[in-house]
Amino acid sequence: MSEKEEKKAGPLLSSKQKKFLKGLGHSLSPVVAVGKEGLSEKMVTATELELSRHELIKVKIGKSSPASKQETAEVLSIGSESSLVQIIGNTILLYKKNPKLDKDKQIRIP
């Protein structure tokens, strides 16, 4: 990736939008797990793939992960161009709108 293609995190969410997404994310199971390998390019790619499928995902940070949860959240949200909704315990909730999904599968945030 060149310097011109620098990625940014997704759009900032209002507190009302975050509250709505937290409610939806409560029942989700983690689909990406960060382990002892830490934050590799494969981890960012896996996060992007899952976000393209689901829009809202949970990422579990294992106890053996060398990166802090703040660092992990920042790297994954910037790398996948998603919005950080919440960090709770060792779990991160990320959201990225996907207009290519079927209308009935898209999340409509207020």
Side-chain angles (χ1 to χ4, degrees):
M1 177 167 62
S2 70
E3 292 175 357
K4 292 181 182 177
E5 297 176 17
E6 187 174 318
K7 292 185 175 185
K8 297 183 221 172
L12 292 176
L13 299 169
S14 70
S15 59
K16 184 178 180 181
Q17 291 170 328
K18 284 184 179 183
K19 185 176 180 180
F20 176 76
L21 290 171
K22 286 176 189 179
L24 292 178
H26 181 72
S27 62
L28 296 177
S29 296
V31 292
V32 177
V34 180
K36 64 183 176 185
E37 293 178 10
L39 297 168
S40 63
E41 189 62 38
K42 287 192 292 185
M43 195 61 56
V44 174
T45 304
T47 303
E48 288 176 319
L49 177 66
E50 291 301 328
L51 281 165
S52 70
R53 292 180 183 163
H54 302 292
E55 289 190 326
L56 185 67
I57 64 166
K58 274 187 179 176
V59 178
K60 182 74 173 172
I61 304 168
K63 292 180 181 176
S64 60
S65 175
S68 70
K69 57 186 172 184
Q70 295 291 347
E71 180 186 359
T72 303
E74 185 178 324
V75 169
L76 291 179
S77 67
I78 291 171
S80 63
E81 297 178 341
S82 60
S83 300
L84 176 63
V85 178
Q86 177 181 32
I87 301 175
I88 186 162
N90 287 328
T91 305
I92 301 168
L93 190 61
L94 297 172
Y95 170 76
K96 182 177 181 183
K97 184 167 180 60
N98 183 359
K100 295 178 183 175
L101 277 179
D102 293 336
K103 292 270 187 203
D104 58 327
K105 291 185 179 182
Q106 288 182 6
I107 297 173
R108 291 189 175 156
I109 56 176

